[in-house]
PDB file of all heavy atoms in Angstrom:
ATOM      1  N   LYS A 229     137.890 -82.124 230.154  1.00 52.00           N
ATOM      2  CA  LYS A 229     139.350 -82.077 230.260  1.00 52.00           C
ATOM      3  C   LYS A 229     139.793 -82.209 231.724  1.00 52.00           C
ATOM      4  O   LYS A 229     140.926 -81.971 232.052  1.00 52.00           O
ATOM      5  CB  LYS A 229     139.869 -80.746 229.683  1.00 52.00           C
ATOM      6  CG  LYS A 229     139.840 -80.711 228.159  1.00 52.00           C
ATOM      7  CD  LYS A 229     141.178 -81.125 227.574  1.00 52.00           C
ATOM      8  CE  LYS A 229     141.144 -81.569 226.129  1.00 52.00           C
ATOM      9  NZ  LYS A 229     140.208 -80.998 225.245  1.00 52.00           N
ATOM     10  N   PHE A 310     130.297 -94.811 214.482  1.00 96.00           N
ATOM     11  CA  PHE A 310     130.473 -95.549 215.732  1.00 96.00           C
ATOM     12  C   PHE A 310     129.858 -94.741 216.863  1.00 96.00           C
ATOM     13  O   PHE A 310     130.018 -93.519 216.908  1.00 96.00           O
ATOM     14  CB  PHE A 310     131.968 -95.783 215.991  1.00 96.00           C
ATOM     15  CG  PHE A 310     132.588 -96.647 214.935  1.00 96.00           C
ATOM     16  CD1 PHE A 310     133.064 -96.085 213.751  1.00 96.00           C
ATOM     17  CD2 PHE A 310     132.658 -98.016 215.096  1.00 96.00           C
ATOM     18  CE1 PHE A 310     133.599 -96.883 212.752  1.00 96.00           C
ATOM     19  CE2 PHE A 310     133.190 -98.821 214.106  1.00 96.00           C
ATOM     20  CZ  PHE A 310     133.657 -98.254 212.928  1.00 96.00           C
ATOM     21  N   THR A 434     167.197-108.137 212.176  1.00 96.00           N
ATOM     22  CA  THR A 434     167.188-107.540 213.517  1.00 96.00           C
ATOM     23  C   THR A 434     168.527-107.761 214.205  1.00 96.00           C
ATOM     24  O   THR A 434     169.055-106.870 214.868  1.00 96.00           O
ATOM     25  CB  THR A 434     166.084-108.183 214.393  1.00 96.00           C
ATOM     26  OG1 THR A 434     164.921-108.324 213.621  1.00 96.00           O
ATOM     27  CG2 THR A 434     165.799-107.361 215.610  1.00 96.00           C
TER      28      THR A 434
END
Side-chain angles (χ1 to χ4, degrees):
K229 285 266 160 32
F310 296 86
T434 317

